[in-house]
Amino acid sequence: PQDKLSIFIVDDGSTDNTFENAKSLEIYPNVKAVTQKNGGKFTALNRGIAESTADFVGCLDADSFVHPNALRSMMGHFSNDPKIVAVTPAMVVHEQKTLIQKMQSAEYMIGIFAKMVMGKLNAIHVTPGPFSIFRKSIFKEIGIFRHAHMTEDMEIAFRIQKNKYRIVHCPDAFVYTITPNTVNKLYRQRTRWVYGFIRNAFDY
């Protein structure tokens, strides 16, 4: 329901017309857009959390979009257990134009099943930037997002696990994301992911 949903757009110091486009969406009463000096994704997330008055908050990266039924599917999991503080979506590759993207699509589909298993074992180690949903109260208890070696979505998952809370996976909440289309772009992305995982693992 629209009266239950608010959308907060944070422009993290862009140099194009992103903010102007975002402001144009304020014709809708439940949309608000702000801009800030570039500080990295984690600062934009924390700005949104600070501004929100909701009991649940979610984030959505600029390179991803959500299936219309995803939010409804994910929210149902929170009623099962008060120890569940985060729900992750099923990530799907959008527009598989190159061989590299087709390979990633197969990997992502396997990942959906793997996340289901890891959720049962209480072993999910990342809350993906595209559309993970959190109980807002968890940020008051364990703290907000950190730089975390440029992998804030991994670090917050580690911290949730450390504090004995649960993260579950919702396999029918599809989120479509644009993936690297060349070997070089994929290499840079995966290097960051692996580096971030190793550093966060050592931190915890």
Side-chain angles (χ1 to χ4, degrees):
Q2 288 194 14
D3 63 335
K4 300 292 185 182
L5 179 68
S6 61
I7 300 172
F8 194 77
I9 306 172
V10 183
D11 170 56
D12 188 43
S14 67
T15 56
D16 55 14
N17 62 343
T18 295
F19 181 59
E20 288 73 19
N21 286 332
K23 288 293 286 185
S24 71
L25 297 174
E26 289 187 341
I27 58 172
Y28 302 102
N30 59 343
V31 176
K32 181 180 180 182
V34 299
T35 188
Q36 64 179 28
K37 183 179 178 180
N38 178 255
K41 179 184 171 181
F42 76 103
T43 67
L45 293 173
N46 291 334
R47 176 78 180 273
I49 292 169
E51 294 279 347
S52 174
T53 59
D55 293 328
F56 298 89
V57 294
C59 50
L60 179 63
D61 289 349
D63 62 358
S64 306
F65 60 98
V66 180
H67 188 279
N69 293 329
L71 180 60
R72 187 182 299 275
S73 296
M74 294 172 75
M75 290 305 299
H77 289 275
F78 287 103
S79 62
N80 297 334
D81 182 353
K83 296 293 284 186
I84 295 173
V85 298
V87 178
T88 64
M91 300 298 301
V92 179
V93 175
H94 176 59
E95 294 187 350
Q96 307 159 32
K97 295 180 179 179
T98 68
L99 177 61
I100 292 295
Q101 290 175 318
K102 291 177 181 178
M103 293 169 62
Q104 291 173 83
S105 179
E107 175 195 21
Y108 276 49
M109 294 304 294
I110 294 170
I112 293 173
F113 175 75
K115 283 287 183 67
M116 289 173 60
V117 174
M118 294 172 74
K120 297 294 184 182
L121 299 173
N122 200 26
I124 293 178
H125 68 281
V126 60
T127 50
F131 214 60
S132 291
I133 307 295
F134 301 85
R135 291 188 194 272
K136 189 183 176 187
S137 59
I138 192 64
F139 297 108
K140 293 182 179 179
E141 182 169 341
I142 70 172
I144 54 179
F145 284 97
R146 302 170 183 168
H147 180 265
H149 317 292
M150 295 183 67
T151 47
E152 67 288 318
D153 51 359
M154 289 186 186
E155 190 278 334
I156 195 67
F158 275 90
R159 205 177 340 146
I160 287 171
Q161 300 283 12
K162 178 182 178 181
N163 285 274
K164 310 300 182 184
Y165 288 101
R166 292 187 60 203
I167 304 168
V168 299
H169 180 67
C170 185
D172 60 346
F174 296 108
V175 175
Y176 305 91
T177 188
I178 300 170
T179 59
N181 58 3
T182 67
V183 172
N184 286 337
K185 291 178 181 178
L186 180 64
Y187 174 79
R188 289 197 299 270
Q189 180 197 64
R190 297 311 170 91
T191 299
R192 179 175 63 83
W193 286 4
V194 172
Y195 173 81
F197 175 80
I198 292 172
R199 291 297 301 269
N200 282 308
F202 274 110
D203 289 346
Y204 282 87

